[in-house]
Amino acid sequence: MDFKVGVGKSDFADLRKSDNYYVDKTKILYELVHDTDNKVTLFTRPRRFGKTLMISMIENFFNIRKDSREIFGGLKITEYGEFCDAWMNQYPVLSISFKDMEALTFDGAYKMLKTTVADVCKELDDLMEEGVVNDADAEIFRQLMYTSADEDKVKNSLKTIMRMLYAVYGKKVILLIDEYDVPLAKASEKDSAQNPFYSSMLDVIKGLMSTALKDNEYLKFAVITGCLKIAKESIFTGTNNFASYSVLDEDFSEYFGFSGDEVCELLAAADRQDKSDVIKEWYDGYVFGDSFVYCPWDVINYMSALKKRKNARPKNYWKNTSHNGILLSFVKRTDFKVKGKFETLMNGGTIVQNISDELAYDTLYSSEEHLWSVLLMTGYLTKADAGEEGRRVSLKIPNREIASIFEDTVVTYFQNTIDNSVQKSMMEALWNQDEQAASEVISDLLWKTISYNDYHEDYYHAFLAGAFVGLGYEVESNKEKGLGRPDILLKDEDHRRAIIIEAKRSERESDMDADCDEAIGQIISQKYAEGVYGYGQILCYGAAFFQKQAKLKKLPL
């Protein structure tokens, strides 16, 4: 089919010249300049929501060093002819990205920062040939390009380069900074008493941002992207005419992520309209301001798979692009009583929490309010009600993809932290055929873990299998035995003994006894034990579950 998508392409010019499908977001250019008068605009969105491609698109449109008429041909922005005449390729642009600035120590990260600045200088090295650049600036520029500049010059580097651009072109400079907070996020993760990373990195980023944004006579306007709006560190303090737009704000909300109509058009272009429901279930569900959007990274990845295989199954493309450690960092906090709220979310419910869109990486894990704020801003949760305003926000898990991350991360953590002695007590009761003790221990385990899938029968199967595997037993689940498949077959080969469990989900607590009997009847009628050969002892149990209660009955020998 005549359809092509570019997975991971964040260079706008390359994407357009390669004839890749592009979801047109160019109208933001008009709104950014014509409808607002912000000196500095900060957009905060989760990872993989098109921030880098957006910055690249903005850079290509305004940059006086380029001719962008061809790559913007046919796009929405060209409907504004007078605007394009006045702004397209009419201003010097300085664009820099901090997204790859990751290291184990401050020294390593600082070297990466100097290299990033040096790369920008190499792209602009012809500025020194114009003969109008101040000699002192030209010398600093060379030092920056050869990574020999001292820290003060590095902190002042963006303003220095902007002053040079102004000297050459006689126009104020548009500054673009992508993923401005990544160095601080990475520093915060590695910071410790032995590795005082964060404060040093904060000092450098503050210096860069303040000199470039505050009272800079060479600045036309700036557009900055990131994951979180940093408040306490006061990076933006004193910046004139500053505006920020987070996932809570209506303005510009439709420009990051794909709308339902845009996904429908994409599916039509690819002749894959039959995948509308599955792509919605897996990748839709985000509410930014008053806009409902899909995650563009996931949609593009899935569309790429569908181009190769018409019946390609959706999968989790997002989990390896962000740090799921954010979830674990909070779940591990015993002073936060959040298990019940996680259960509500994982069973498709909503919770109402106080939310702040101004956070600080050095105090990110200091309060439960920060927990929910970070999960919202980083895309693990979303608003449940587009019409809500204020600090009290209804939260939910957006889609099946993110639900699977919660299951893998949160459920696994609680299962892995259960006291091993409790699981051993469970096995001792089962081998001793003590129905009452086994029922009580399994109920205790259920109370200590996270329950999800609204207590579906499959949840209980997975719960039992996980408990047994954690003790080192060989466990088979729903394998063919006898005339059917028992839910759980546990083998203790060292002692040539085995346990068969058939589990039922009870509608009411009063049904549990009868459901155990039904499970035992199924073990008998399906002859499950006959499919297990070579074992001297085979114990069979019927199990019934109602929410977090368990009841077991053994098949009489």
Side-chain angles (χ1 to χ4, degrees):
M1 62 184 167
D2 187 21
F3 173 81
K4 182 166 61 172
V5 291
V7 174
K9 283 196 173 182
S10 56
D11 185 306
F12 178 77
D14 177 42
L15 185 147
R16 293 288 289 165
K17 291 175 182 177
S18 301
D19 292 324
N20 289 152
Y21 190 95
Y22 173 63
V23 176
D24 192 347
K25 300 291 185 179
T26 57
K27 190 181 174 184
I28 192 177
L29 296 162
Y30 184 79
E31 291 192 24
L32 194 61
V33 174
H34 185 269
D35 295 350
T36 66
D37 190 28
N38 303 330
K39 196 73 171 179
V40 178
T41 299
L42 170 65
F43 293 114
T44 57
R45 291 295 187 275
R47 308 279 183 244
R48 300 305 187 183
F49 269 85
K51 298 190 296 294
T52 299
L53 179 59
M54 182 68 74
I55 287 289
S56 178
M57 185 268 288
I58 295 172
E59 186 269 332
N60 276 276
F61 182 82
F62 291 113
N63 199 337
I64 198 170
R65 296 163 62 86
K66 295 183 176 182
D67 182 350
S68 302
R69 288 171 294 181
E70 183 179 349
I71 61 175
F72 280 93
L75 297 178
K76 292 177 182 177
I77 191 59
T78 58
E79 297 172 8
Y80 302 91
E82 292 184 6
F83 175 79
C84 289
D85 291 342
W87 288 89
M88 184 184 286
N89 303 133
Q90 294 299 310
Y91 285 87
V93 177
L94 173 57
S95 182
I96 188 168
S97 175
F98 295 158
K99 67 184 179 68
D100 296 321
M101 212 162 296
E102 181 173 2
L104 297 176
T105 64
F106 170 72
D107 288 342
Y110 183 62
K111 287 179 181 177
M112 293 186 70
L113 172 62
K114 291 174 71 174
T115 300
T116 299
V117 172
D119 288 342
V120 171
C121 293
K122 291 169 187 175
E123 292 177 4
L124 299 171
D125 63 348
D126 59 312
L127 293 179
M128 293 187 294
E129 299 173 5
E130 299 295 329
V132 294
V133 173
N134 180 283
D135 289 342
D137 281 345
E139 175 58 30
I140 294 171
F141 187 86
R142 291 187 185 91
Q143 293 177 24
L144 291 170
M145 188 162 57
Y146 290 105
T147 66
S148 61
D150 60 33
E151 188 171 309
D152 286 340
K153 293 185 179 70
V154 172
K155 287 179 180 179
N156 205 53
S157 59
L158 300 184
K159 186 172 183 179
T160 298
I161 298 170
M162 292 168 72
R163 184 165 53 239
M164 294 172 65
L165 285 165
Y166 179 80
V168 172
Y169 295 102
K171 292 183 176 182
K172 291 186 176 182
V173 180
I174 295 171
L175 175 63
L176 307 175
I177 302 176
D178 189 32
E179 302 286 13
Y180 85 102
D181 58 336
V182 166
L184 297 176
K186 302 303 182 185
S188 176
E189 291 174 8
K190 305 294 191 301
D191 191 67
S192 66
Q194 295 74 33
N195 184 27
F197 192 165
Y198 185 78
S199 59
S200 299
M201 181 53 68
L202 176 60
D203 181 60
V204 171
I205 298 300
K206 265 187 178 181
L208 272 170
M209 302 291 280
S210 62
T211 56
L213 301 176
K214 184 179 177 181
D215 301 326
N216 182 355
E217 63 270 36
Y218 310 107
L219 176 66
K220 181 68 176 177
F221 65 81
V223 179
I224 303 169
T225 71
C227 194
L228 302 180
K229 178 184 176 183
I230 299 176
K232 183 181 177 182
E233 291 89 338
S234 302
I235 284 178
F236 302 108
T237 296
T239 300
N240 296 325
N241 208 354
F242 173 87
S244 65
Y245 304 96
S246 75
V247 298
L248 298 175
D249 294 297
E250 295 180 8
D251 292 344
F252 300 101
S253 60
E254 72 271 30
Y255 291 113
F256 297 90
F258 295 163
S259 70
D261 288 344
E262 288 168 339
V263 170
C264 287
E265 292 172 7
L266 197 159
L267 288 167
D271 191 26
R272 295 291 185 266
Q273 295 95 322
D274 59 317
K275 298 300 181 182
S276 175
D277 289 342
V278 70
I279 207 169
K280 181 177 181 62
E281 177 188 3
W282 274 80
Y283 309 125
D284 191 15
Y286 292 94
V287 180
F288 293 170
D290 58 355
S291 298
F292 297 85
V293 296
Y294 292 68
C295 176
W297 169 257
D298 296 321
V299 172
I300 293 299
N301 271 275
Y302 187 45
M303 294 308 300
S304 177
L306 286 174
K307 178 182 177 180
K308 301 170 187 173
R309 302 178 303 282
K310 191 169 184 177
N311 292 315
R313 295 181 179 181
K315 64 180 183 179
N316 196 320
Y317 298 104
W318 199 76
K319 65 181 179 181
N320 294 324
T321 70
S322 190
H323 292 285
N324 297 337
I326 292 173
L327 277 174
L328 279 177
S329 295
F330 285 109
V331 173
K332 290 177 180 179
R333 291 285 294 270
T334 57
D335 52 331
F336 294 162
K337 305 301 180 184
V338 296
K339 186 164 72 75
K341 293 175 183 178
F342 274 125
E343 282 191 340
T344 297
L345 291 166
M346 293 175 65
N347 285 302
T350 63
I351 61 173
V352 179
Q353 299 295 139
N354 287 330
I355 295 297
S356 172
D357 62 356
E358 295 191 358
L359 297 161
Y361 280 104
D362 59 343
T363 60
L364 208 56
Y365 307 108
S366 63
S367 71
E368 188 182 335
E369 180 178 311
H370 284 180
L371 155 64
W372 304 115
S373 300
V374 170
L375 294 184
L376 174 64
M377 299 300 163
T378 54
Y380 289 98
L381 298 176
T382 190
K383 290 168 58 179
D385 183 355
E388 266 183 343
E389 296 181 355
R391 294 185 69 244
R392 295 285 289 174
V393 178
S394 299
L395 302 173
K396 67 175 184 177
I397 294 174
N399 52 44
R400 186 169 174 181
E401 179 185 49
I402 302 301
S404 71
I405 294 175
F406 271 80
E407 292 173 14
D408 292 345
T409 305
V410 181
V411 175
T412 300
Y413 171 76
F414 277 103
Q415 287 179 341
N416 291 343
T417 54
I418 291 174
D419 186 353
N420 190 254
S421 65
V422 179
Q423 291 170 288
K424 290 180 178 178
S425 297
M426 173 187 67
M427 290 310 308
E428 184 178 343
L430 288 171
W431 290 124
N432 290 337
Q433 304 177 56
D434 189 336
E435 303 166 335
Q436 181 65 29
S439 300
E440 291 175 358
V441 174
I442 293 174
S443 295
D444 288 342
L445 286 172
L446 282 168
W447 277 100
K448 287 177 175 140
T449 191
I450 289 270
S451 301
Y452 61 101
N453 290 338
D454 196 24
Y455 301 104
H456 288 177
E457 201 161 272
D458 286 347
Y459 164 73
Y460 295 115
H461 298 169
F463 167 78
L464 285 173
F468 295 141
V469 169
L471 291 171
Y473 287 99
E474 180 184 346
V475 178
E476 296 179 5
S477 182
N478 285 315
K479 291 288 184 68
E480 196 75 52
K481 297 294 176 198
L483 302 178
R485 293 182 174 92
D487 289 330
I488 298 290
L489 170 61
L490 179 149
K491 296 178 180 178
D492 179 5
E493 294 187 352
D494 290 342
H495 299 91
R496 290 185 59 223
R497 57 184 182 174
I499 291 175
I500 291 173
I501 299 177
E502 184 66 25
K504 301 293 180 184
R505 173 185 173 273
S506 299
E507 294 292 334
R508 295 176 296 273
E509 185 177 358
S510 59
D511 294 339
M512 294 177 72
D513 196 67
D515 288 338
C516 281
D517 292 337
E518 181 185 343
I520 288 173
Q522 185 173 328
I523 293 172
I524 296 171
S525 64
Q526 297 297 310
K527 301 180 180 179
Y528 290 155
E530 294 183 15
V532 183
Y533 302 104
Y535 288 83
Q537 183 184 36
I538 302 173
L539 302 178
C540 298
Y541 288 92
F545 294 92
F546 174 71
Q547 295 183 1
K548 294 202 171 195
Q549 296 182 62
K551 184 176 182 65
L552 274 74
K553 282 188 177 182
K554 66 181 178 65
L555 178 67
L557 298 177

